[in-house]
Every structure is written in structure tokens, then in C-alpha cells.
Amino acid sequence: CVLPPPTPLLALSHRYRGLTLVLTFLCYTSYHLSRKPISIVKSQLHPNCSALGPNPHNDSNSSTWCSWAPFDGDNYKELFGALDNAFLVAYAIGMFISGIFGERLPLRYYLSGGMVLSGLFTALFGFGYFWDIHVLWYFIIVQVCNGLVQTTGWPAVVACVGNWFGKGKRGLIMGIWNSHTSVGNILGSLIAGVWVSSTWGLSFVVPGIIIAAVGIICFFFLVEYPEDVGCSPPLHHVRVTCNEKDPEAVTSNEGPLSISGQSSTDCSNSPKEPVEEPEAISFLGALRIPGVVEFSLCLLFAKLVSYTFLYWLPLYIVNVAHFSAKEAGDLSTLFDVGGILGGIFAGLISDYTGGRATTCCVMLVVAAPMLFLYNHVGQNGIGTSIAMLIVCGALVNGPYALITTAVSADLGTHESLKGNAKALSTVTAIIDGTGSIGAALGPLLAGLISPTGWNNVFYMLIAADVLACLLLARVVVKEVRGWCGFIARKRGYVHT
């Protein structure tokens, strides 16, 4: 088959693809931006009051007079863990449902509506400062509601990107795109740090306004599908056929293909034959896709480590290195800088080798000893702390980024689905929902274990990394056998 050249309108399609990448990047950046303030504000809700001078209130406890009730007791770490757990358990439960809704509702409405509601609940947490609320249940209910509405984000943005991009160099593209997680964490830390020591309520209100504003922009400008602007879908949506009478005529179920074998995604106003819309895949059907179970369970433990750092790293730095709340928040952003580099590196290597699972496994193996070293020597100087935070961030977040983006998109467009792209949102929700169970367990366990010593918290994180690696063993063996078979065939090739 000889494929026809791309049409002149290909550039228009590229602009829409670029717009989709930018908008979804901004959307999920704002999601993480609104999640980060709680980790920055923790050290202000229960600070070291003795460092602030004498107690101006004679009727208050001398050691906790500057703390914010109900976090002024000796069990404040357990209460912080309960706050984190309220958000993350609601997020994990909602994620399994969210993917099903995401396939059946307009993604633009679903995403923008969730962002506006998320902005509302983020701001409500901050209003607790201005309304002088000291009831634990208020903060827990707000966290639960926020966790539920934040599940609208990930399945929707991954489905939008998957609709516009074929497999190609998906690992590298989505590795760069997935830096929105770390960029959001960095911006959230910096924004929250501006007001954490003076008016901590603004550390939540301002990020809430930002995510709501981005949601409104998304509503007006996001394009969900290439077909919405007259473009043909990417390669994994296309079925190629050859005309036996005319071998040079190549057609597909949606339009012509380019010479490179990729979908030309050209924009045309010519009428097309109506195509029967495939049905959305069921939950059990998505679980039967090869690799979904393994990567989901691996992400459970990988995300446990990542989210423990997300919620507890600033407090750990304050307690161990004795920095101020703002300095600890600023220093913790280096972990996310490493996450950006790790996501890009993991995507690039996995594209080059074709081994998504092997790339994850190698990074997880190296991450375990690095976590041990950071806990024991990471505070021996600011230079050492910076370097080890970046390295740990890259090794911890690299596999997490690769699984939630490129692997999810690969499995959601697996060949066993026979071109049915309706599975993408459900597969993404299953993988990230399972990972969110680990994200809920990590901060909770850290809150329960940290009173016994930070060493035990790091031992828990190392054990989780090892388990994540072991759960990918079957897929890694399959990839290695594939490489060995390829090398054997290549060596056995004889030129005639």
C-alpha cells in the first residue's frame, strides 16, 4: 500500500493538538496547586510556640498557645493524618466511579465543573481561618468533598490527550506533559508559603480562586475530540484497509493516513459516512486488559511513597532540619523539581527501549537505597539536602508519572480493544484509583508511625518501593524475553 501525502491543513490539526496539551497541562497543574497548601500549613497549625517568645495569654497552655485548635494537642500528627486520609480515601473511592462518568458525559463540562467545585471546597478550608472555626469535623467534611470533586480531573485530561495523540513517542510527550504534577506542587508550595506565617487562610483561598478560573477557561476553549473540529483521530483509532483493485489507495475508518504511517489528522469539511459509536467498556472488561492489574497494584505502592512526601516532607524538614515553615515549604519544592526530571527521563528511556515496566522497576530498585541515604545523611548540609531531594524526587516520581500517563494511555488503547477508544477513561480511572488507595494509606501511616521516629517512616517507604517493584516482575520478565527473542532473531539473520 502506498500512503498519500498529508494535506496542507495538517498544521491546523497540530495547533489544536498543541492547544489541548497546554489546556490539559494548566488544568491538572491547578488541581495539584490546590492540593499542596495543606502540607505547607500543617507546620503553622501546630508551630513551636516557645520560639515565639513568652505566652501573652496567661490562661493558655504555655507550649501550644499559638497553635490552631483542634490541632493544639499532643495528637496533632494523628489529626493531620486524618485530614489527609479524609481527602485521599474520598479521592480513591470517587476515582473508580469518575472514569465511568467521564466516558458517558461531555469531558469539557465534566472537567470544568469539577474544577469550579474544587476551587470552592479549597477556599472553604481557608475560610475556617477567617470564620474562626475550631471544629475538626468541618475541616474533614471539606476535605472529603474536595477529594470527591477532584476525581473529575485525571481521567478527563488523560482521555483528552489520548484522543489527540497516537502511540508514537507517547512516553516522552506524556513524560514532559506530566510535569504538571510537579509544577502544580511547586506553585502550590510557593503560593501557600506567601501567607502561611501571617494569614494561612489565604494559602487556601488563592489556590481555590486559581483552579476555578482555569476551569472557566477550560469550559470555553477545550476541544475534546479531533472530530469536533473536522480532524481525523490519531492512529490508535484508525483501521487501515487496502483496495485490492487499486493498491495505491489506502483508506481507514476515519480518513487517509500520512506516509509516515501516523494518522494525518487533517482537517476537512468533506462529508463522512456515519460510523457506529462503540459502547463504553465495562469495569470488569477493563480489568481483563493485559497489564492493567499489575500496573494498578504497582502504582498503589509507588503513589504511597510519592504522596507521603507530598503531605509530610515540609513537616519532616521543620522537625529534623529545624527550618521555618516557609523555608521548609520552599526546600520541599526541590523534590518536585526532581519529579519533573524523573518523568521526562522515564518516558524517554521507555520509548527508546520499549520497556515501560522494566524502566519503572529499575528506578524503583534504585529509589529504595536513596531514601535510606536521604534520611540518614540528607540533612548534613544544605547542598547535600538539595542534591538528594532532587534525586529522590526523580526516582520516586519517575515510575509514578510513567504509569499514570503513557502506560495508562497504552493500556486504554490496547490492541485487544480492537480500536474502541471508549476504554481509555475507565482504564485510567482504575489504575489511578488503585494508586489513590496507596496515596491514602501513605500519609495515614506516616501520621501513625512518625511519633515513634522518622526512621520508621522511611523504612515503611522503602518497603513500599520494594513491593511496587516485585508486583511488576511478571511484566518485566515478559519484556526481557521479548528483547532476548529479538536479539536471537537478529543474530540468526543470514544475508543472501
Side-chain angles (χ1 to χ4, degrees):
C1 298
V2 180
L3 301 175
T7 68
L9 293 175
L10 181 61
L12 180 60
S13 173
H14 288 169
R15 284 199 292 270
Y16 278 111
R17 294 171 73 182
L19 177 65
T20 301
L21 272 185
V22 171
L23 281 179
T24 52
F25 182 93
L26 291 176
C27 286
Y28 216 70
T29 295
S30 62
Y31 271 99
H32 267 263
L33 183 149
S34 65
R35 294 179 194 175
K36 187 64 177 178
I38 184 66
S39 67
I40 305 299
V41 173
K42 279 177 183 176
S43 57
Q44 188 63 26
L45 295 176
H46 190 98
N48 181 10
C49 298
S50 60
L52 301 178
N55 178 14
H57 310 290
N58 295 327
D59 58 342
S60 300
N61 188 306
S62 60
S63 63
T64 60
W65 60 266
C66 65
S67 300
W68 186 271
F71 307 105
D72 55 350
D74 294 335
N75 64 337
Y76 71 98
K77 289 184 179 179
E78 288 84 350
L79 297 183
F80 287 155
L83 279 183
D84 298 338
N85 205 51
F87 175 91
L88 293 169
V89 168
Y91 185 88
I93 294 173
M95 184 59 72
F96 290 104
I97 305 171
S98 181
I100 298 173
F101 282 110
E103 288 182 355
R104 292 160 174 81
L105 297 175
L107 291 177
R108 184 165 60 94
Y109 296 162
Y110 192 56
L111 182 60
S112 57
M115 295 177 74
V116 171
L117 288 174
S118 184
L120 171 64
F121 290 117
T122 301
L124 282 175
F125 196 103
F127 287 152
Y129 172 85
F130 300 103
W131 296 340
D132 200 26
I133 295 176
H134 298 277
V135 180
L136 178 64
W137 283 106
Y138 170 82
F139 297 105
I140 287 181
I141 291 172
V142 169
Q143 286 287 82
V144 169
C145 294
N146 200 8
L148 290 173
V149 297
Q150 286 235 343
T151 60
T152 59
W154 190 242
V157 295
V158 172
C160 284
V161 173
N163 289 335
W164 278 94
F165 288 86
K167 292 192 175 180
K169 294 297 180 184
R170 179 181 277 167
L172 177 59
I173 292 173
M174 301 195 84
I176 298 172
W177 173 77
N178 192 66
S179 63
H180 50 50
T181 299
S182 298
V183 171
N185 291 339
I186 292 170
L187 291 177
S189 298
L190 297 177
I191 291 173
V194 174
W195 295 283
V196 65
S197 299
S198 56
T199 311
W200 63 259
L202 290 176
S203 298
F204 291 91
V205 174
V206 174
I209 294 173
I210 292 174
I211 186 174
V214 176
I216 294 172
I217 294 173
C218 167
F219 176 80
F220 286 106
F221 295 103
L222 182 65
V223 180
E224 301 173 25
Y225 300 99
E227 297 91 334
D228 292 342
V229 288
C231 299
S232 59
L235 183 61
H236 65 257
H237 290 188
V238 179
R239 182 180 66 255
V240 179
T241 59
C242 297
N243 191 329
E244 294 181 358
K245 296 181 180 179
D246 186 3
E248 295 188 359
V250 182
T251 60
S252 71
N253 61 325
E254 292 289 350
L257 298 176
S258 65
I259 290 179
S260 64
Q262 298 288 336
S263 171
S264 64
T265 61
D266 60 312
C267 297
S268 174
N269 293 324
S270 58
K272 298 180 181 179
E273 292 294 327
V275 180
E276 183 180 352
E277 187 74 11
E279 293 184 1
I281 194 170
S282 66
F283 184 87
L284 292 178
L287 285 177
R288 285 195 289 267
I289 298 173
V292 167
V293 174
E294 289 90 341
F295 280 106
S296 297
L297 293 176
C298 172
L299 185 63
L300 187 151
F301 292 101
K303 206 166 180 180
L304 182 153
V305 178
S306 180
Y307 268 66
T308 302
F309 272 92
L310 174 67
Y311 282 94
W312 286 91
L313 181 58
L315 187 62
Y316 169 77
I317 295 173
V318 168
N319 290 346
V320 176
H322 307 293
F323 287 174
S324 68
K326 186 179 186 307
E327 290 171 339
D330 292 343
L331 187 61
S332 68
T333 61
L334 295 172
F335 182 80
D336 295 298
V337 171
I340 296 174
L341 300 176
I344 296 173
F345 181 76
L348 182 64
I349 295 299
S350 67
D351 278 341
Y352 179 76
T353 61
R356 308 280 199 217
T358 306
T359 303
C360 292
C361 195
V362 170
M363 296 184 78
L364 290 168
V365 167
V366 180
M370 288 305 302
L371 291 175
F372 179 84
L373 288 175
Y374 173 69
N375 181 45
H376 285 81
V377 301
Q379 310 302 328
N380 292 348
I382 188 66
T384 303
S385 181
I386 290 173
M388 298 202 70
L389 271 175
I390 294 175
V391 173
C392 288
L395 294 172
V396 168
N397 287 329
Y400 165 35
L402 186 61
I403 293 173
T404 55
T405 54
V407 171
S408 296
D410 289 347
L411 296 176
T413 56
H414 193 267
E415 58 186 9
S416 64
L417 298 171
K418 300 178 181 179
N420 181 6
K422 284 283 187 179
L424 185 54
S425 184
T426 297
V427 169
T428 301
I430 289 174
I431 293 176
D432 199 54
T434 307
S436 297
I437 297 174
L441 286 174
L444 175 65
L445 292 174
L448 297 175
I449 297 173
S450 57
T452 67
W454 287 104
N455 286 343
N456 295 329
V457 174
F458 276 85
Y459 293 148
M460 180 266 291
L461 298 179
I462 293 170
D465 253 334
V466 173
L467 287 173
C469 182
L470 292 176
L471 286 165
L472 283 182
R474 192 186 71 85
V475 185
V476 170
V477 169
K478 184 178 178 181
E479 289 179 352
V480 171
R481 285 178 176 174
W483 290 332
C484 293
F486 173 77
I487 294 173
R489 289 192 300 271
K490 196 171 182 180
R491 287 180 175 177
Y493 182 76
V494 179
H495 288 282
T496 58

